[in-house]
């Protein structure tokens, strides 16, 4: 399916002398940076009517115009159950279960959150990425907000990029950090395993704040808040600190037999087949009302029962 895309806007003073691709990402946040760069290189995104390069600097008052044809694979609406926490004309907040992929991808065109959203609200087909403005990993549970209009999508993307939207996660990790703190360590693609991320000096800025909610013998129930939103950020940062998430074999959280004769706990840990991570709280400025809203999703059963067993084991 092909779609004609036309937009234009004037570069504001606060973006003067920045790179064209960076300015375009701020001015047209409903599109991914890679798509904007493709349009720039193809001459479909122009500055004052002339073709430019992604790295070219722009000036205040320049006219940015997009006149492009987007070819997309039409995604199929599928009747997949959703746990809806809140919905109005502007936004939709869902509590994502473990095992649900957010976006269709190669070899994975069906059975995703995007397919479910298109069935629940068919007009989302008119919005890039069906209104999805951020993502959770397949096996991470918890809260996500979806925009139901282009105006809402723009507002939410701007808030996320400006670090104004707040996201709080809960997890169970191996090990017991001695104090609360933060990790400021850049993240990029793993140099060998390209499907993984890693802490590396040439990566993108990544900041995670953490708090120990409850220490156990050799585990901890922890809370995290994100200042940035890099792929696998919490999982990578906790591996970097030496406290990988339970159930996360990609980043060092594979099964470890607990101390003592705790067969029930050992069985639960052995069978915990996903990273023990849950997006518990989400707050942002509502795009329509301009008021702050906050949503909370209690821990899923697998995570809450694991914490109960850890408490029980601690008592012995």
């Amino acid at each position: 399916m092909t779609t004609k895309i036309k937009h234009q806007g004037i570069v504001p003073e606060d973006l003067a002398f920045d790179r064209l691709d960076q300015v375009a990402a701020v001015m047209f946040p409903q599109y991914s940076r890679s798509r904007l760069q493709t349009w720039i290189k193809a001459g479909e995104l122009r500055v004052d009517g002339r073709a430019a390069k992604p790295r070219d600097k722009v000036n205040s008052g320049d006219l940015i115009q997009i006149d492009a044809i987007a070819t997309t694979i039409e995604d199929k609406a599928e009747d997949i159950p959703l746990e809806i926490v809140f919905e109005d004309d502007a936004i939709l907040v869902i509590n994502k279960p473990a095992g649900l992929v957010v976006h269709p991808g190669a070899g994975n065109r069906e059975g995703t959150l995007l397919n479910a959203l298109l069935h629940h609200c068919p007009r989302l087909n008119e919005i890039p990425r069906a209104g999805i403005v951020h993502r959770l990993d397949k096996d991470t549970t918890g809260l996500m907000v979806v925009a139901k209009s282009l105006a809402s999508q723009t507002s939410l993307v701007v808030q996320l990029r400006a670090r104004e939207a707040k996201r709080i996660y809960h997890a169970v990790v191996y090990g017991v950090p001695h104090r609360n703190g933060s990790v400021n360590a850049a993240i990029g693609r793993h140099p060998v395993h390209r499907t993984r991320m890693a802490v590396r000096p040439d990566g993108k800025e990544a900041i995670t704040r953490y708090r120990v909610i409850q220490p156990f013998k050799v585990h901890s129930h922890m809370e995290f808040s994100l200042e940035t939103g890099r792929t696998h950020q919490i999982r990578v940062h906790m591996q970097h600190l030496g406290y990988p998430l339970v159930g996360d074999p990609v980043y060092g959280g594979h099964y470890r037999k607990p101390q003592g004769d705790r067969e029930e706990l050992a069985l639960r840990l052995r069978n915990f087949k996903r990273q023990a991570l849950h997006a518990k709280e989400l707050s942002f400025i509502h795009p329509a009302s301009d008021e702050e809203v906050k949503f909370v999703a209690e821990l899923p059963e697998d995570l809450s029962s694991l914490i109960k067993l850890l408490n029980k084991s601690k008592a012995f």
Side-chain angles (χ1 to χ4, degrees):
M1 183 177 70
T2 59
T3 303
K4 185 74 171 177
I5 296 175
K6 279 182 171 289
H7 297 288
Q8 67 177 33
I10 301 295
V11 176
E13 289 185 8
D14 62 333
L15 295 179
F17 311 117
D18 285 348
R19 288 171 41 146
L20 174 58
D21 57 350
Q22 295 172 342
V23 171
V26 175
M27 294 179 63
F28 309 105
Q30 62 269 44
Y31 302 109
S32 68
R33 183 165 294 187
S34 61
R35 173 168 285 192
L36 291 167
Q37 288 177 332
T38 298
W39 288 338
I40 294 170
K41 293 172 183 176
E44 296 174 315
L45 190 157
R46 304 171 75 87
V47 181
D48 286 339
R50 68 181 187 279
K53 297 178 181 178
R55 292 178 177 272
D56 287 352
K57 302 295 193 288
V58 298
N59 297 309
S60 171
D62 284 350
L63 176 65
I64 308 296
Q65 294 174 299
I66 299 175
D67 188 353
I69 298 291
T71 302
T72 59
I73 300 173
E74 190 164 3
D75 293 299
K76 183 172 69 174
E78 294 182 71
D79 188 4
I80 300 170
L82 292 172
E83 183 181 341
I84 298 173
V85 176
F86 175 84
E87 183 175 16
D88 62 12
D89 289 338
I91 62 171
L92 172 68
V93 178
I94 65 149
N95 185 13
K96 190 187 86 66
L100 182 63
V101 175
V102 172
H103 290 107
N108 191 44
R109 298 302 314 175
E110 301 178 354
T112 72
L113 173 62
L114 186 145
N115 301 116
L117 289 170
L118 291 176
H119 180 272
H120 175 75
C121 182
R123 68 185 175 95
L124 289 176
N125 195 45
E126 302 171 7
I127 303 172
R129 299 186 292 277
I132 296 171
V133 295
H134 65 121
R135 54 162 290 180
L136 294 175
D137 296 332
K138 174 184 176 181
D139 289 323
T140 297
T141 57
L143 294 169
M144 291 183 61
V145 60
V146 176
K148 293 179 68 176
S149 69
L150 282 174
S152 294
Q153 189 179 51
T154 299
S155 171
L156 292 169
V157 169
V158 167
Q159 289 183 60
L160 287 164
R161 286 183 175 163
R163 305 178 186 178
E164 294 169 349
K166 296 179 176 60
R167 291 166 286 173
I168 304 294
Y169 294 74
H170 280 214
V172 174
V173 306
Y174 284 107
V176 184
H178 298 299
R179 57 183 180 273
N180 304 333
S182 64
V183 191
N184 187 344
I187 291 176
R189 287 286 170 192
H190 193 287
V192 177
H193 306 288
R194 304 303 292 174
T195 59
R196 302 182 188 179
M197 309 301 288
V199 168
R200 48 187 302 169
D202 61 344
K204 295 181 180 179
E205 180 188 33
I207 303 172
T208 305
R209 300 192 182 278
Y210 61 87
R211 179 174 72 89
V212 179
I213 296 174
Q214 188 173 13
F216 303 106
K217 288 183 178 180
V218 291
H219 300 84
S220 298
H221 176 196
M222 297 186 66
E223 178 182 279
F224 303 92
S225 60
L226 298 181
E227 291 196 18
T228 54
R230 306 304 174 203
T231 302
H232 303 170
Q233 180 170 318
I234 293 172
R235 300 164 65 189
V236 172
H237 273 171
M238 293 315 292
Q239 180 193 42
H240 178 65
L241 291 184
Y243 305 109
L245 273 61
V246 166
D248 189 350
V250 176
Y251 297 105
H254 41 75
Y255 171 70
R256 304 178 192 180
K257 185 174 176 60
Q259 294 178 344
D261 186 18
R262 300 285 179 267
E263 284 302 321
E264 187 178 11
L265 177 59
L267 182 63
R268 179 56 57 91
L269 289 168
R270 188 182 300 115
N271 292 326
F272 209 98
K273 301 299 185 182
R274 69 176 186 93
Q275 61 268 9
L277 182 62
H278 176 68
K280 190 174 190 293
E281 298 180 22
L282 177 64
S283 58
F284 51 89
I285 301 300
H286 191 287
S289 69
D290 286 329
E291 296 180 351
E292 185 175 24
V293 290
K294 178 180 177 180
F295 303 96
V296 177
E298 295 306 319
L299 300 181
E301 193 280 331
D302 62 347
L303 195 49
S304 62
S305 63
L306 173 61
I307 292 170
K308 288 176 183 177
L309 279 176
L310 288 167
N311 261 312
K312 183 179 176 181
S313 177
K314 184 180 179 182
F316 288 92

